[in-house]
């Protein structure tokens, strides 16, 4: 386990099912960007049950963790993250939530713990810790 780290949105959603606890930080953090992503998810749900489940995830995330803000330092880091993605042949707009989560992690000197490490490939200065996806054993 690492001391502190940012959980990306996918990892936060899967947290109760992850058995690879050694890949999780002792002190997990989330970002305001993840809260925004979860908020969008609940609003675009196509069924009442899906909307309720997504709203429950959002409410749990809001109450369980104090979020790291997307602040001026994160905004500056976002420029470098976007440049890294462009150099890697990827469009930062296509992964804008991930790029903003990465920027927030970089600005706070924290690694990102993710079940989808490919989403963060090619980002200079970002320490990515892969967490085994519970559905991919």
């Amino acid at each position: 386990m690492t001391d502190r780290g940012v959980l990306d949105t996918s990892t936060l959603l899967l947290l109760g099912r992850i058995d690879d606890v050694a890949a999780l930080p002792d002190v997990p953090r989330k970002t305001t960007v993840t809260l925004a992503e979860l908020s969008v998810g609940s609003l675009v749900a196509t069924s009442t049950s899906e909307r309720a489940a997504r709203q429950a995830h959002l409410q749990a995330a809001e109450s369980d963790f104090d979020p790291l803000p997307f602040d001026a330092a994160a905004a500056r880091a976002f420029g470098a993250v976007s440049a890294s993605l462009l150099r890697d042949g990827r469009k930062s707009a296509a992964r804008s939530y991930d790029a903003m989560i990465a920027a927030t992690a970089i600005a706070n000197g924290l690694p990102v713990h993710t079940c989808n490490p490919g989403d963060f490939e090619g980002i200079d200065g970002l320490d990515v810790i892969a967490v085994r996806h519970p559905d991919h054993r």
Side-chain angles (χ1 to χ4, degrees), residues 20-48:
D20 186 14
V21 295
L24 296 172
D26 293 327
V27 181
R29 300 297 305 266
K30 69 165 181 307
T31 70
T32 54
V33 176
T34 290
L35 292 180
E37 191 171 6
L38 292 173
S39 180
V40 169
S42 67
L43 293 172
V44 299
T46 57
S47 71
T48 303

mmCIF file with all atom_site columns, all heavy atoms in Angstrom, residues 20-48:
data_model
loop_
_atom_site.group_PDB
_atom_site.id
_atom_site.type_symbol
_atom_site.label_atom_id
_atom_site.label_alt_id
_atom_site.label_comp_id
_atom_site.label_asym_id
_atom_site.label_entity_id
_atom_site.label_seq_id
_atom_site.pdbx_PDB_ins_code
_atom_site.Cartn_x
_atom_site.Cartn_y
_atom_site.Cartn_z
_atom_site.occupancy
_atom_site.B_iso_or_equiv
_atom_site.pdbx_formal_charge
_atom_site.auth_seq_id
_atom_site.auth_comp_id
_atom_site.auth_asym_id
_atom_site.auth_atom_id
_atom_site.pdbx_PDB_model_num
ATOM 1   N N   . ASP A 1 20 ? -7.730  -6.347 -4.573  1.00 0.00 ? 20 ASP A N   1
ATOM 2   C CA  . ASP A 1 20 ? -6.307  -6.019 -4.687  1.00 0.00 ? 20 ASP A CA  1
ATOM 3   C C   . ASP A 1 20 ? -5.992  -4.835 -3.763  1.00 0.00 ? 20 ASP A C   1
ATOM 4   O O   . ASP A 1 20 ? -5.578  -3.773 -4.209  1.00 0.00 ? 20 ASP A O   1
ATOM 5   C CB  . ASP A 1 20 ? -5.992  -5.682 -6.150  1.00 0.00 ? 20 ASP A CB  1
ATOM 6   C CG  . ASP A 1 20 ? -4.513  -5.454 -6.417  1.00 0.00 ? 20 ASP A CG  1
ATOM 7   O OD1 . ASP A 1 20 ? -3.686  -5.805 -5.553  1.00 0.00 ? 20 ASP A OD1 1
ATOM 8   O OD2 . ASP A 1 20 ? -4.203  -4.918 -7.496  1.00 0.00 ? 20 ASP A OD2 1
ATOM 9   N N   . VAL A 1 21 ? -6.193  -5.032 -2.446  1.00 0.00 ? 21 VAL A N   1
ATOM 10  C CA  . VAL A 1 21 ? -6.058  -3.926 -1.502  1.00 0.00 ? 21 VAL A CA  1
ATOM 11  C C   . VAL A 1 21 ? -4.631  -3.394 -1.419  1.00 0.00 ? 21 VAL A C   1
ATOM 12  O O   . VAL A 1 21 ? -4.423  -2.236 -1.050  1.00 0.00 ? 21 VAL A O   1
ATOM 13  C CB  . VAL A 1 21 ? -6.581  -4.300 -0.100  1.00 0.00 ? 21 VAL A CB  1
ATOM 14  C CG1 . VAL A 1 21 ? -8.076  -4.545 -0.137  1.00 0.00 ? 21 VAL A CG1 1
ATOM 15  C CG2 . VAL A 1 21 ? -5.849  -5.503 0.463   1.00 0.00 ? 21 VAL A CG2 1
ATOM 16  N N   . ALA A 1 22 ? -3.638  -4.199 -1.791  1.00 0.00 ? 22 ALA A N   1
ATOM 17  C CA  . ALA A 1 22 ? -2.251  -3.728 -1.757  1.00 0.00 ? 22 ALA A CA  1
ATOM 18  C C   . ALA A 1 22 ? -2.017  -2.610 -2.770  1.00 0.00 ? 22 ALA A C   1
ATOM 19  O O   . ALA A 1 22 ? -1.088  -1.823 -2.613  1.00 0.00 ? 22 ALA A O   1
ATOM 20  C CB  . ALA A 1 22 ? -1.290  -4.883 -2.019  1.00 0.00 ? 22 ALA A CB  1
ATOM 21  N N   . ALA A 1 23 ? -2.861  -2.528 -3.796  1.00 0.00 ? 23 ALA A N   1
ATOM 22  C CA  . ALA A 1 23 ? -2.711  -1.484 -4.812  1.00 0.00 ? 23 ALA A CA  1
ATOM 23  C C   . ALA A 1 23 ? -3.459  -0.205 -4.440  1.00 0.00 ? 23 ALA A C   1
ATOM 24  O O   . ALA A 1 23 ? -3.374  0.784  -5.162  1.00 0.00 ? 23 ALA A O   1
ATOM 25  C CB  . ALA A 1 23 ? -3.206  -1.998 -6.166  1.00 0.00 ? 23 ALA A CB  1
ATOM 26  N N   . LEU A 1 24 ? -4.168  -0.226 -3.330  1.00 0.00 ? 24 LEU A N   1
ATOM 27  C CA  . LEU A 1 24 ? -4.923  0.950  -2.893  1.00 0.00 ? 24 LEU A CA  1
ATOM 28  C C   . LEU A 1 24 ? -4.124  1.753  -1.871  1.00 0.00 ? 24 LEU A C   1
ATOM 29  O O   . LEU A 1 24 ? -3.351  1.181  -1.098  1.00 0.00 ? 24 LEU A O   1
ATOM 30  C CB  . LEU A 1 24 ? -6.264  0.523  -2.276  1.00 0.00 ? 24 LEU A CB  1
ATOM 31  C CG  . LEU A 1 24 ? -7.233  -0.166 -3.228  1.00 0.00 ? 24 LEU A CG  1
ATOM 32  C CD1 . LEU A 1 24 ? -8.430  -0.705 -2.456  1.00 0.00 ? 24 LEU A CD1 1
ATOM 33  C CD2 . LEU A 1 24 ? -7.678  0.774  -4.328  1.00 0.00 ? 24 LEU A CD2 1
ATOM 34  N N   . PRO A 1 25 ? -4.324  3.059  -1.845  1.00 0.00 ? 25 PRO A N   1
ATOM 35  C CA  . PRO A 1 25 ? -3.596  3.875  -0.870  1.00 0.00 ? 25 PRO A CA  1
ATOM 36  C C   . PRO A 1 25 ? -4.190  3.732  0.532   1.00 0.00 ? 25 PRO A C   1
ATOM 37  O O   . PRO A 1 25 ? -5.378  3.445  0.688   1.00 0.00 ? 25 PRO A O   1
ATOM 38  C CB  . PRO A 1 25 ? -3.797  5.301  -1.393  1.00 0.00 ? 25 PRO A CB  1
ATOM 39  C CG  . PRO A 1 25 ? -5.100  5.243  -2.122  1.00 0.00 ? 25 PRO A CG  1
ATOM 40  C CD  . PRO A 1 25 ? -5.176  3.855  -2.720  1.00 0.00 ? 25 PRO A CD  1
ATOM 41  N N   . ASP A 1 26 ? -3.354  3.934  1.544   1.00 0.00 ? 26 ASP A N   1
ATOM 42  C CA  . ASP A 1 26 ? -3.844  3.953  2.921   1.00 0.00 ? 26 ASP A CA  1
ATOM 43  C C   . ASP A 1 26 ? -4.809  5.111  3.124   1.00 0.00 ? 26 ASP A C   1
ATOM 44  O O   . ASP A 1 26 ? -5.789  4.996  3.856   1.00 0.00 ? 26 ASP A O   1
ATOM 45  C CB  . ASP A 1 26 ? -2.676  4.113  3.910   1.00 0.00 ? 26 ASP A CB  1
ATOM 46  C CG  . ASP A 1 26 ? -1.751  2.916  3.928   1.00 0.00 ? 26 ASP A CG  1
ATOM 47  O OD1 . ASP A 1 26 ? -2.227  1.786  3.724   1.00 0.00 ? 26 ASP A OD1 1
ATOM 48  O OD2 . ASP A 1 26 ? -0.534  3.114  4.143   1.00 0.00 ? 26 ASP A OD2 1
ATOM 49  N N   . VAL A 1 27 ? -4.497  6.236  2.505   1.00 0.00 ? 27 VAL A N   1
ATOM 50  C CA  . VAL A 1 27 ? -5.333  7.431  2.595   1.00 0.00 ? 27 VAL A CA  1
ATOM 51  C C   . VAL A 1 27 ? -5.828  7.761  1.179   1.00 0.00 ? 27 VAL A C   1
ATOM 52  O O   . VAL A 1 27 ? -5.154  8.455  0.424   1.00 0.00 ? 27 VAL A O   1
ATOM 53  C CB  . VAL A 1 27 ? -4.550  8.626  3.190   1.00 0.00 ? 27 VAL A CB  1
ATOM 54  C CG1 . VAL A 1 27 ? -5.449  9.856  3.286   1.00 0.00 ? 27 VAL A CG1 1
ATOM 55  C CG2 . VAL A 1 27 ? -3.951  8.272  4.537   1.00 0.00 ? 27 VAL A CG2 1
ATOM 56  N N   . PRO A 1 28 ? -7.001  7.223  0.813   1.00 0.00 ? 28 PRO A N   1
ATOM 57  C CA  . PRO A 1 28 ? -7.515  7.492  -0.535  1.00 0.00 ? 28 PRO A CA  1
ATOM 58  C C   . PRO A 1 28 ? -8.101  8.893  -0.625  1.00 0.00 ? 28 PRO A C   1
ATOM 59  O O   . PRO A 1 28 ? -8.717  9.385  0.311   1.00 0.00 ? 28 PRO A O   1
ATOM 60  C CB  . PRO A 1 28 ? -8.608  6.430  -0.709  1.00 0.00 ? 28 PRO A CB  1
ATOM 61  C CG  . PRO A 1 28 ? -9.053  6.104  0.675   1.00 0.00 ? 28 PRO A CG  1
ATOM 62  C CD  . PRO A 1 28 ? -7.860  6.315  1.569   1.00 0.00 ? 28 PRO A CD  1
ATOM 63  N N   . ARG A 1 29 ? -7.865  9.518  -1.763  1.00 0.00 ? 29 ARG A N   1
ATOM 64  C CA  . ARG A 1 29 ? -8.421  10.852 -2.038  1.00 0.00 ? 29 ARG A CA  1
ATOM 65  C C   . ARG A 1 29 ? -9.202  10.771 -3.336  1.00 0.00 ? 29 ARG A C   1
ATOM 66  O O   . ARG A 1 29 ? -8.963  9.913  -4.178  1.00 0.00 ? 29 ARG A O   1
ATOM 67  C CB  . ARG A 1 29 ? -7.302  11.887 -2.187  1.00 0.00 ? 29 ARG A CB  1
ATOM 68  C CG  . ARG A 1 29 ? -6.402  12.072 -0.978  1.00 0.00 ? 29 ARG A CG  1
ATOM 69  C CD  . ARG A 1 29 ? -7.106  12.586 0.266   1.00 0.00 ? 29 ARG A CD  1
ATOM 70  N NE  . ARG A 1 29 ? -7.843  13.813 0.089   1.00 0.00 ? 29 ARG A NE  1
ATOM 71  C CZ  . ARG A 1 29 ? -7.378  15.041 0.325   1.00 0.00 ? 29 ARG A CZ  1
ATOM 72  N NH1 . ARG A 1 29 ? -6.140  15.208 0.752   1.00 0.00 ? 29 ARG A NH1 1
ATOM 73  N NH2 . ARG A 1 29 ? -8.142  16.103 0.135   1.00 0.00 ? 29 ARG A NH2 1
ATOM 74  N N   . LYS A 1 30 ? -10.136 11.653 -3.495  1.00 0.00 ? 30 LYS A N   1
ATOM 75  C CA  . LYS A 1 30 ? -10.859 11.799 -4.754  1.00 0.00 ? 30 LYS A CA  1
ATOM 76  C C   . LYS A 1 30 ? -10.780 13.265 -5.146  1.00 0.00 ? 30 LYS A C   1
ATOM 77  O O   . LYS A 1 30 ? -10.385 14.107 -4.347  1.00 0.00 ? 30 LYS A O   1
ATOM 78  C CB  . LYS A 1 30 ? -12.307 11.341 -4.633  1.00 0.00 ? 30 LYS A CB  1
ATOM 79  C CG  . LYS A 1 30 ? -13.135 12.264 -3.762  1.00 0.00 ? 30 LYS A CG  1
ATOM 80  C CD  . LYS A 1 30 ? -14.590 12.020 -3.955  1.00 0.00 ? 30 LYS A CD  1
ATOM 81  C CE  . LYS A 1 30 ? -15.435 12.932 -3.137  1.00 0.00 ? 30 LYS A CE  1
ATOM 82  N NZ  . LYS A 1 30 ? -15.190 13.027 -1.734  1.00 0.00 ? 30 LYS A NZ  1
ATOM 83  N N   . THR A 1 31 ? -11.174 13.556 -6.358  1.00 0.00 ? 31 THR A N   1
ATOM 84  C CA  . THR A 1 31 ? -11.109 14.927 -6.846  1.00 0.00 ? 31 THR A CA  1
ATOM 85  C C   . THR A 1 31 ? -12.513 15.469 -7.074  1.00 0.00 ? 31 THR A C   1
ATOM 86  O O   . THR A 1 31 ? -13.478 14.712 -7.223  1.00 0.00 ? 31 THR A O   1
ATOM 87  C CB  . THR A 1 31 ? -10.332 15.005 -8.172  1.00 0.00 ? 31 THR A CB  1
ATOM 88  O OG1 . THR A 1 31 ? -11.110 14.398 -9.199  1.00 0.00 ? 31 THR A OG1 1
ATOM 89  C CG2 . THR A 1 31 ? -8.969  14.332 -8.076  1.00 0.00 ? 31 THR A CG2 1
ATOM 90  N N   . THR A 1 32 ? -12.602 16.787 -7.137  1.00 0.00 ? 32 THR A N   1
ATOM 91  C CA  . THR A 1 32 ? -13.885 17.405 -7.477  1.00 0.00 ? 32 THR A CA  1
ATOM 92  C C   . THR A 1 32 ? -14.287 17.024 -8.898  1.00 0.00 ? 32 THR A C   1
ATOM 93  O O   . THR A 1 32 ? -15.478 16.990 -9.218  1.00 0.00 ? 32 THR A O   1
ATOM 94  C CB  . THR A 1 32 ? -13.819 18.941 -7.340  1.00 0.00 ? 32 THR A CB  1
ATOM 95  O OG1 . THR A 1 32 ? -12.720 19.437 -8.106  1.00 0.00 ? 32 THR A OG1 1
ATOM 96  C CG2 . THR A 1 32 ? -13.676 19.353 -5.885  1.00 0.00 ? 32 THR A CG2 1
ATOM 97  N N   . VAL A 1 33 ? -13.311 16.686 -9.719  1.00 0.00 ? 33 VAL A N   1
ATOM 98  C CA  . VAL A 1 33 ? -13.601 16.252 -11.094 1.00 0.00 ? 33 VAL A CA  1
ATOM 99  C C   . VAL A 1 33 ? -14.371 14.933 -11.059 1.00 0.00 ? 33 VAL A C   1
ATOM 100 O O   . VAL A 1 33 ? -15.329 14.749 -11.820 1.00 0.00 ? 33 VAL A O   1
ATOM 101 C CB  . VAL A 1 33 ? -12.300 16.122 -11.915 1.00 0.00 ? 33 VAL A CB  1
ATOM 102 C CG1 . VAL A 1 33 ? -12.588 15.587 -13.303 1.00 0.00 ? 33 VAL A CG1 1
ATOM 103 C CG2 . VAL A 1 33 ? -11.572 17.450 -11.974 1.00 0.00 ? 33 VAL A CG2 1
ATOM 104 N N   . THR A 1 34 ? -13.996 14.022 -10.177 1.00 0.00 ? 34 THR A N   1
ATOM 105 C CA  . THR A 1 34 ? -14.726 12.769 -10.035 1.00 0.00 ? 34 THR A CA  1
ATOM 106 C C   . THR A 1 34 ? -16.164 13.035 -9.595  1.00 0.00 ? 34 THR A C   1
ATOM 107 O O   . THR A 1 34 ? -17.100 12.412 -10.098 1.00 0.00 ? 34 THR A O   1
ATOM 108 C CB  . THR A 1 34 ? -14.011 11.820 -9.055  1.00 0.00 ? 34 THR A CB  1
ATOM 109 O OG1 . THR A 1 34 ? -12.808 11.367 -9.670  1.00 0.00 ? 34 THR A OG1 1
ATOM 110 C CG2 . THR A 1 34 ? -14.869 10.617 -8.703  1.00 0.00 ? 34 THR A CG2 1
ATOM 111 N N   . LEU A 1 35 ? -16.349 13.976 -8.675  1.00 0.00 ? 35 LEU A N   1
ATOM 112 C CA  . LEU A 1 35 ? -17.712 14.327 -8.271  1.00 0.00 ? 35 LEU A CA  1
ATOM 113 C C   . LEU A 1 35 ? -18.512 14.842 -9.466  1.00 0.00 ? 35 LEU A C   1
ATOM 114 O O   . LEU A 1 35 ? -19.694 14.510 -9.622  1.00 0.00 ? 35 LEU A O   1
ATOM 115 C CB  . LEU A 1 35 ? -17.701 15.360 -7.150  1.00 0.00 ? 35 LEU A CB  1
ATOM 116 C CG  . LEU A 1 35 ? -17.179 14.880 -5.802  1.00 0.00 ? 35 LEU A CG  1
ATOM 117 C CD1 . LEU A 1 35 ? -17.218 16.019 -4.786  1.00 0.00 ? 35 LEU A CD1 1
ATOM 118 C CD2 . LEU A 1 35 ? -17.949 13.677 -5.302  1.00 0.00 ? 35 LEU A CD2 1
ATOM 119 N N   . ALA A 1 36 ? -17.871 15.652 -10.310 1.00 0.00 ? 36 ALA A N   1
ATOM 120 C CA  . ALA A 1 36 ? -18.545 16.162 -11.508 1.00 0.00 ? 36 ALA A CA  1
ATOM 121 C C   . ALA A 1 36 ? -18.907 15.013 -12.446 1.00 0.00 ? 36 ALA A C   1
ATOM 122 O O   . ALA A 1 36 ? -20.034 14.963 -12.974 1.00 0.00 ? 36 ALA A O   1
ATOM 123 C CB  . ALA A 1 36 ? -17.655 17.177 -12.224 1.00 0.00 ? 36 ALA A CB  1
ATOM 124 N N   . GLU A 1 37 ? -17.977 14.089 -12.635 1.00 0.00 ? 37 GLU A N   1
ATOM 125 C CA  . GLU A 1 37 ? -18.222 12.948 -13.521 1.00 0.00 ? 37 GLU A CA  1
ATOM 126 C C   . GLU A 1 37 ? -19.366 12.081 -12.978 1.00 0.00 ? 37 GLU A C   1
ATOM 127 O O   . GLU A 1 37 ? -20.240 11.638 -13.739 1.00 0.00 ? 37 GLU A O   1
ATOM 128 C CB  . GLU A 1 37 ? -16.937 12.130 -13.661 1.00 0.00 ? 37 GLU A CB  1
ATOM 129 C CG  . GLU A 1 37 ? -16.976 11.085 -14.726 1.00 0.00 ? 37 GLU A CG  1
ATOM 130 C CD  . GLU A 1 37 ? -15.630 10.438 -14.980 1.00 0.00 ? 37 GLU A CD  1
ATOM 131 O OE1 . GLU A 1 37 ? -14.647 10.702 -14.255 1.00 0.00 ? 37 GLU A OE1 1
ATOM 132 O OE2 . GLU A 1 37 ? -15.574 9.627  -15.923 1.00 0.00 ? 37 GLU A OE2 1
ATOM 133 N N   . LEU A 1 38 ? -19.384 11.854 -11.669 1.00 0.00 ? 38 LEU A N   1
ATOM 134 C CA  . LEU A 1 38 ? -20.467 11.075 -11.068 1.00 0.00 ? 38 LEU A CA  1
ATOM 135 C C   . LEU A 1 38 ? -21.799 11.802 -11.174 1.00 0.00 ? 38 LEU A C   1
ATOM 136 O O   . LEU A 1 38 ? -22.848 11.179 -11.375 1.00 0.00 ? 38 LEU A O   1
ATOM 137 C CB  . LEU A 1 38 ? -20.144 10.773 -9.599  1.00 0.00 ? 38 LEU A CB  1
ATOM 138 C CG  . LEU A 1 38 ? -18.982 9.816  -9.344  1.00 0.00 ? 38 LEU A CG  1
ATOM 139 C CD1 . LEU A 1 38 ? -18.672 9.750  -7.859  1.00 0.00 ? 38 LEU A CD1 1
ATOM 140 C CD2 . LEU A 1 38 ? -19.277 8.437  -9.919  1.00 0.00 ? 38 LEU A CD2 1
ATOM 141 N N   . SER A 1 39 ? -21.774 13.120 -11.059 1.00 0.00 ? 39 SER A N   1
ATOM 142 C CA  . SER A 1 39 ? -22.992 13.919 -11.182 1.00 0.00 ? 39 SER A CA  1
ATOM 143 C C   . SER A 1 39 ? -23.585 13.802 -12.582 1.00 0.00 ? 39 SER A C   1
ATOM 144 O O   . SER A 1 39 ? -24.796 13.613 -12.752 1.00 0.00 ? 39 SER A O   1
ATOM 145 C CB  . SER A 1 39 ? -22.695 15.380 -10.849 1.00 0.00 ? 39 SER A CB  1
ATOM 146 O OG  . SER A 1 39 ? -23.850 16.158 -10.967 1.00 0.00 ? 39 SER A OG  1
ATOM 147 N N   . VAL A 1 40 ? -22.728 13.877 -13.582 1.00 0.00 ? 40 VAL A N   1
ATOM 148 C CA  . VAL A 1 40 ? -23.183 13.713 -14.970 1.00 0.00 ? 40 VAL A CA  1
ATOM 149 C C   . VAL A 1 40 ? -23.786 12.324 -15.150 1.00 0.00 ? 40 VAL A C   1
ATOM 150 O O   . VAL A 1 40 ? -24.853 12.168 -15.747 1.00 0.00 ? 40 VAL A O   1
ATOM 151 C CB  . VAL A 1 40 ? -22.021 13.932 -15.966 1.00 0.00 ? 40 VAL A CB  1
ATOM 152 C CG1 . VAL A 1 40 ? -22.420 13.507 -17.369 1.00 0.00 ? 40 VAL A CG1 1
ATOM 153 C CG2 . VAL A 1 40 ? -21.578 15.377 -15.952 1.00 0.00 ? 40 VAL A CG2 1
ATOM 154 N N   . GLY A 1 41 ? -23.111 11.327 -14.613 1.00 0.00 ? 41 GLY A N   1
ATOM 155 C CA  . GLY A 1 41 ? -23.588 9.951  -14.751 1.00 0.00 ? 41 GLY A CA  1
ATOM 156 C C   . GLY A 1 41 ? -24.992 9.751  -14.229 1.00 0.00 ? 41 GLY A C   1
ATOM 157 O O   . GLY A 1 41 ? -25.818 9.073  -14.862 1.00 0.00 ? 41 GLY A O   1
ATOM 158 N N   . SER A 1 42 ? -25.286 10.351 -13.087 1.00 0.00 ? 42 SER A N   1
ATOM 159 C CA  . SER A 1 42 ? -26.636 10.179 -12.538 1.00 0.00 ? 42 SER A CA  1
ATOM 160 C C   . SER A 1 42 ? -27.675 10.930 -13.374 1.00 0.00 ? 42 SER A C   1
ATOM 161 O O   . SER A 1 42 ? -28.822 10.489 -13.479 1.00 0.00 ? 42 SER A O   1
ATOM 162 C CB  . SER A 1 42 ? -26.690 10.615 -11.074 1.00 0.00 ? 42 SER A CB  1
ATOM 163 O OG  . SER A 1 42 ? -26.500 12.001 -10.942 1.00 0.00 ? 42 SER A OG  1
ATOM 164 N N   . LEU A 1 43 ? -27.295 12.021 -13.980 1.00 0.00 ? 43 LEU A N   1
ATOM 165 C CA  . LEU A 1 43 ? -28.241 12.810 -14.775 1.00 0.00 ? 43 LEU A CA  1
ATOM 166 C C   . LEU A 1 43 ? -28.541 12.201 -16.143 1.00 0.00 ? 43 LEU A C   1
ATOM 167 O O   . LEU A 1 43 ? -29.594 12.465 -16.718 1.00 0.00 ? 43 LEU A O   1
ATOM 168 C CB  . LEU A 1 43 ? -27.719 14.237 -14.940 1.00 0.00 ? 43 LEU A CB  1
ATOM 169 C CG  . LEU A 1 43 ? -27.660 15.050 -13.647 1.00 0.00 ? 43 LEU A CG  1
ATOM 170 C CD1 . LEU A 1 43 ? -26.949 16.373 -13.893 1.00 0.00 ? 43 LEU A CD1 1
ATOM 171 C CD2 . LEU A 1 43 ? -29.055 15.275 -13.085 1.00 0.00 ? 43 LEU A CD2 1
ATOM 172 N N   . VAL A 1 44 ? -27.610 11.410 -16.672 1.00 0.00 ? 44 VAL A N   1
ATOM 173 C CA  . VAL A 1 44 ? -27.825 10.831 -18.001 1.00 0.00 ? 44 VAL A CA  1
ATOM 174 C C   . VAL A 1 44 ? -28.259 9.366  -17.948 1.00 0.00 ? 44 VAL A C   1
ATOM 175 O O   . VAL A 1 44 ? -28.390 8.728  -18.991 1.00 0.00 ? 44 VAL A O   1
ATOM 176 C CB  . VAL A 1 44 ? -26.563 10.969 -18.895 1.00 0.00 ? 44 VAL A CB  1
ATOM 177 C CG1 . VAL A 1 44 ? -26.204 12.436 -19.097 1.00 0.00 ? 44 VAL A CG1 1
ATOM 178 C CG2 . VAL A 1 44 ? -25.400 10.181 -18.340 1.00 0.00 ? 44 VAL A CG2 1
ATOM 179 N N   . ALA A 1 45 ? -28.494 8.846  -16.761 1.00 0.00 ? 45 ALA A N   1
ATOM 180 C CA  . ALA A 1 45 ? -28.945 7.460  -16.625 1.00 0.00 ? 45 ALA A CA  1
ATOM 181 C C   . ALA A 1 45 ? -30.249 7.264  -17.402 1.00 0.00 ? 45 ALA A C   1
ATOM 182 O O   . ALA A 1 45 ? -31.097 8.157  -17.449 1.00 0.00 ? 45 ALA A O   1
ATOM 183 C CB  . ALA A 1 45 ? -29.140 7.121  -15.155 1.00 0.00 ? 45 ALA A CB  1
ATOM 184 N N   . THR A 1 46 ? -30.390 6.089  -17.995 1.00 0.00 ? 46 THR A N   1
ATOM 185 C CA  . THR A 1 46 ? -31.542 5.846  -18.860 1.00 0.00 ? 46 THR A CA  1
ATOM 186 C C   . THR A 1 46 ? -32.710 5.152  -18.166 1.00 0.00 ? 46 THR A C   1
ATOM 187 O O   . THR A 1 46 ? -33.769 5.009  -18.758 1.00 0.00 ? 46 THR A O   1
ATOM 188 C CB  . THR A 1 46 ? -31.116 5.006  -20.079 1.00 0.00 ? 46 THR A CB  1
ATOM 189 O OG1 . THR A 1 46 ? -30.528 3.786  -19.614 1.00 0.00 ? 46 THR A OG1 1
ATOM 190 C CG2 . THR A 1 46 ? -30.119 5.774  -20.937 1.00 0.00 ? 46 THR A CG2 1
ATOM 191 N N   . SER A 1 47 ? -32.514 4.730  -16.928 1.00 0.00 ? 47 SER A N   1
ATOM 192 C CA  . SER A 1 47 ? -33.619 4.112  -16.196 1.00 0.00 ? 47 SER A CA  1
ATOM 193 C C   . SER A 1 47 ? -33.657 4.658  -14.767 1.00 0.00 ? 47 SER A C   1
ATOM 194 O O   . SER A 1 47 ? -32.648 5.172  -14.260 1.00 0.00 ? 47 SER A O   1
ATOM 195 C CB  . SER A 1 47 ? -33.475 2.586  -16.163 1.00 0.00 ? 47 SER A CB  1
ATOM 196 O OG  . SER A 1 47 ? -32.399 2.220  -15.315 1.00 0.00 ? 47 SER A OG  1
ATOM 197 N N   . THR A 1 48 ? -34.780 4.513  -14.154 1.00 0.00 ? 48 THR A N   1
ATOM 198 C CA  . THR A 1 48 ? -34.943 4.990  -12.780 1.00 0.00 ? 48 THR A CA  1
ATOM 199 C C   . THR A 1 48 ? -34.012 4.245  -11.829 1.00 0.00 ? 48 THR A C   1
ATOM 200 O O   . THR A 1 48 ? -33.387 4.860  -10.960 1.00 0.00 ? 48 THR A O   1
ATOM 201 C CB  . THR A 1 48 ? -36.412 4.818  -12.329 1.00 0.00 ? 48 THR A CB  1
ATOM 202 O OG1 . THR A 1 48 ? -37.240 5.526  -13.246 1.00 0.00 ? 48 THR A OG1 1
ATOM 203 C CG2 . THR A 1 48 ? -36.631 5.356  -10.932 1.00 0.00 ? 48 THR A CG2 1
#
